[in-house]
Amino acid sequence: MAMADRIVLDPVTRIEGHLRIEAQIDGGQITDAWASGTMFRGMEIILKGRDPRDAWLFTQRICGVCTTVHAIASVRAVEDALGIQVPPNARLIRNLIMATQAIHDHVVHFYVLHALDWVDVGSALTADPAKTADLAASISDWKGGVEYFRGVQQKVQKFVDSGQPGFLASAYWGHPAYKLPPEANLMALAHYLDALNFQRDFIRVHALLGAKNPHIQTLAVGGVVNPVDPNSENALNAQSIAFLRAKAREALDFINRVYIPDLLAIASFYKEWAGIGAGPGNYLSYGDYPSDGSGSPESLLLPRGRILGNDLGTVLPVEQDKIKEYVSHSWYDYSGGDGEALHPFQGETNPHFTGPQPPYDFLNVEEKYTWLKAPRYEDLPTEVGPLARMLVAYASGQPRVQELVGSVLENLGVGPEALFSTLGRTAARAIETLFIAEHVEGWVDELAGNMTTGDLRIHAGELWDPAQWPATAEGYGWHEAPRGALGHWIRIRDRQIENYQAVVPTTWNASPRDAAGQMGPYEQALVGTPIADPERPIEILRTVHSFDPCIACAVHLVDARGRAVSTVKAL
């Protein structure tokens, strides 16, 4: 392997956590790739010996962004172990918390984390505001006008001229891979700023239902702790319902009038990306948003299932005992040898860093090269996330998802094969955002209906007392987090956590090679990607960002040698 042909992106920015990508370039395209998470995961060690009822508070601290999702998966794991079924109001409040998280996360990802891979801010500063206003009016009736776009342009220009341009300072502006005309760039930049305002206001739903964001405070094993009483000022009441309805409608309005039109407008200039960035072709969705307390696959709004080899004609069942993790190329040791794969109930977290000491040029990718384990379903690398969910829903016959997917494909003039790509992954996230947002007000109405009929139950308290627990128990909790299939597995002995493992979306997607040498989804998706300028490989960012990496979740938050990662001084 000629090292001169290998390029390194470290750190990959506009993500959560620390990700390194090394790629081999030959003939103007990527021929091999390696993804490395460069922080150690250690939350499982911290949880051992603790009260299972407290686990959800700890697991939220895996990440500063994906807090709610770990809380949900954790309480579900304990409830599964103890056989607890939550009451309807708790289910609805959880659905609303999860949906708010998904909508907020997807909007932030598209505009703040991913859009600048396609939108050239430098070009936007040369746009004609009048032509921009005409363009914007042709795709949506969202606010606009010549003065509006001129004001955005002047605001950003002032920011650039300040000498402290922040995120605008380290980008690939002017790269030949950018294709939008200046006016489209200015329109998208304006909506970038609008999205910042939207997400700041919309996440107030978590302030009401979760007490705060990030790190909500209102979950509990067995339900939630939000009192529900239409006659109390200190509970979720009629005023709260009105607030939730208003936010649900505002979100749907923004998605319909801004997010979806922007997706279609930008994607229309990048249709070649419908043939770039395909992963392993295997997709997994645990499903989510239950309509009753049974936990059955039939109760889930987002269907549960697997797709193999891009075959949309067959949706396979999902069984938790088919999931295992390898550490053959990860900086961990397994007591039985690194060639084996362990199910999460037997999972081990034994860190053993064998990588190069800085400074170094390249990782030794023939051996161990990342802090991420390699999850596999029946020994197959598998992609998770919005694309997986929408493919499973589409193939399962979900009518609204089929309608939305068909509409986007028709609008862009591409066929179903375009779904298996970087462009498809980005489009699926927008489709899912709209699909979820269309159901939020219905859950609010259902919650209001329960309050009206006097059903105020929020917690199943019969198994709260550990004295009633069995001597040993094990369970798992699944949640479709914004970034994909999230699973927490717990083993309880003598009322304490004996073992705990979290297999998170980015661990699936950013996984390294396994014992058989199979690449993870990031690595596979990068192979074949054309690179116009190896010194500015924006094409790598486009595909990697389309997965929305969260390395903090995948590798958690403890330094390998026990050193302080950072020091924060409270003033």
Side-chain angles (χ1 to χ4, degrees):
M1 183 178 293
M3 290 299 184
D5 297 330
R6 192 187 296 186
I7 62 174
V8 177
L9 269 73
D10 186 11
V12 175
T13 57
R14 282 186 272 128
I15 68 169
E16 176 67 15
H18 302 289
L19 173 65
R20 177 187 179 98
I21 297 291
E22 296 191 9
Q24 189 77 11
I25 309 295
D26 187 15
Q29 68 176 17
I30 295 174
T31 56
D32 211 344
W34 302 268
S36 176
T38 57
M39 301 184 301
F40 165 61
R41 65 184 300 177
M43 187 61 76
E44 295 94 340
I45 299 171
I46 295 170
L47 284 169
K48 287 186 176 182
R50 297 187 182 273
D51 189 321
R53 296 170 299 178
D54 294 339
W56 71 275
L57 288 163
F58 283 87
T59 60
Q60 282 197 90
R61 272 69 187 176
I62 284 173
C63 175
V65 173
C66 310
T67 61
T68 297
V69 302
H70 290 291
I72 293 287
S74 184
V75 295
R76 284 176 169 174
V78 179
E79 289 161 358
D80 180 61
L82 301 178
I84 297 174
Q85 187 174 117
V86 304
N89 291 330
R91 171 182 56 80
L92 291 166
I93 290 171
R94 289 182 182 186
N95 277 0
L96 290 169
I97 289 174
M98 292 186 296
T100 302
Q101 177 73 21
I103 293 167
H104 175 270
D105 196 281
H106 286 346
V107 169
V108 169
H109 174 264
F110 180 77
Y111 285 98
V112 180
L113 304 181
H114 196 28
L116 299 185
D117 299 330
W118 316 96
V119 175
D120 187 341
V121 173
S123 168
L125 298 179
T126 70
D128 181 338
K131 292 181 179 178
T132 304
D134 291 340
L135 172 65
S138 72
I139 65 173
S140 172
D141 61 354
W142 182 252
K143 67 178 181 180
V146 177
E147 293 307 313
Y148 168 71
F149 288 110
R150 180 176 289 117
V152 169
Q153 198 173 46
Q154 292 172 346
K155 181 185 297 185
V156 175
Q157 186 65 60
K158 183 178 180 180
F159 187 47
V160 172
D161 294 342
S162 70
Q164 295 181 316
F167 74 96
L168 299 177
S170 56
Y172 299 145
W173 312 134
H175 193 288
Y178 282 120
K179 293 189 173 184
L180 295 182
E183 287 70 33
N185 283 314
L186 179 56
M187 179 186 71
L189 179 60
H191 294 166
Y192 174 109
L193 300 178
D194 289 340
L196 292 178
N197 290 328
F198 165 78
Q199 61 86 24
R200 182 183 61 225
D201 184 63
F202 180 64
I203 203 61
R204 291 168 59 201
V205 172
H206 275 194
L208 174 65
L209 297 180
K212 62 192 290 287
N213 178 280
H215 307 302
I216 62 173
Q217 301 292 296
T218 55
L219 293 188
V221 171
V224 296
V225 298
N226 310 74
V228 176
D229 188 344
N231 300 313
S232 172
E233 293 184 0
N234 299 315
L236 295 178
N237 53 28
Q239 185 177 358
S240 306
I241 293 296
F243 173 82
L244 293 172
R245 281 201 182 103
K247 294 303 157 193
R249 292 170 184 175
E250 289 170 12
L252 196 55
D253 183 56
F254 184 86
I255 296 162
N256 273 315
R257 297 170 65 203
V258 186
Y259 187 180
I260 296 295
D262 281 352
L263 167 80
L264 296 173
I266 294 171
S268 67
F269 287 90
Y270 293 102
K271 292 183 183 180
E272 73 275 15
W273 281 87
I276 300 172
N282 307 318
Y283 302 91
L284 167 68
S285 171
Y286 291 149
D288 216 323
Y289 300 102
S291 60
D292 59 41
S294 68
S296 68
E298 295 74 23
S299 73
L300 303 176
L301 174 66
L302 291 176
R304 179 176 299 163
R306 292 184 300 123
I307 290 172
L308 295 182
N310 292 335
D311 178 11
L312 296 181
T314 304
V315 178
L316 300 170
V318 179
E319 302 172 53
Q320 67 89 22
D321 59 352
K322 302 295 180 62
I323 297 168
K324 295 184 178 180
E325 290 186 297
Y326 286 94
V327 295
S328 311
H329 287 276
S330 310
W331 289 314
Y332 301 95
D333 292 332
Y334 278 169
S335 56
D338 291 351
E340 69 174 337
L342 295 181
H343 182 273
F345 279 141
Q346 289 76 46
E348 298 176 2
T349 305
N350 306 316
H352 183 196
F353 181 72
T354 58
Q357 298 294 331
Y360 61 89
D361 292 326
F362 302 107
L363 295 165
N364 185 355
V365 295
E366 301 303 322
E367 297 181 3
K368 298 184 178 230
Y369 59 90
T370 179
W371 282 115
L372 278 70
K373 296 181 181 179
R376 297 292 185 262
Y377 191 101
E378 292 186 328
D379 271 338
L380 292 174
T382 302
E383 179 176 337
V384 301
L387 177 58
R389 287 191 291 263
M390 292 299 96
L391 289 175
V392 170
Y394 184 91
S396 297
Q398 213 295 329
R400 181 56 174 156
V401 169
Q402 291 183 332
E403 179 184 8
L404 291 173
V405 170
S407 174
V408 169
L409 293 176
E410 181 180 2
N411 191 290
L412 294 176
V414 296
E417 67 280 356
L419 297 169
F420 311 115
S421 67
T422 294
L423 188 67
R425 206 171 283 118
T426 301
R429 182 172 284 104
I431 291 167
E432 177 177 74
T433 309
L434 177 56
F435 179 66
I436 292 174
E438 289 176 339
H439 289 82
V440 173
E441 189 169 358
W443 290 322
V444 174
D445 291 343
E446 193 175 345
L447 180 62
N450 289 348
M451 293 165 59
T452 300
T453 60
D455 182 359
L456 308 182
R457 294 171 297 153
I458 57 172
H459 191 270
E462 61 274 9
L463 287 175
W464 179 252
D465 182 0
Q468 301 179 47
W469 298 357
T472 61
E474 62 182 23
Y476 60 95
W478 284 347
H479 169 44
E480 277 300 325
R483 290 167 174 87
L486 169 64
H488 284 216
W489 280 258
I490 189 170
R491 293 177 65 185
I492 302 169
R493 182 179 296 275
D494 298 330
R495 307 170 190 174
Q496 295 181 339
I497 298 173
E498 180 181 49
N499 197 22
Y500 201 102
Q501 293 288 312
V503 183
V504 310
T506 298
T507 314
W508 284 100
N509 289 335
S511 69
R513 268 73 162 174
D514 55 29
Q518 297 179 104
M519 306 168 81
Y522 285 11
E523 297 174 338
Q524 292 195 41
L526 287 171
V527 173
T529 299
I531 301 294
D533 180 359
E535 297 296 320
R536 299 187 297 165
I538 192 172
E539 298 89 350
I540 291 178
L541 295 180
R542 286 175 174 172
T543 289
V544 170
H545 283 156
S546 73
F547 287 92
D548 192 8
C550 186
I551 308 303
C553 284
V555 292
H556 302 180
L557 72 173
V558 182
D559 178 82
R561 296 190 179 92
R563 300 172 300 189
V565 176
S566 63
T567 300
V568 179
K569 182 178 180 181
L571 301 177

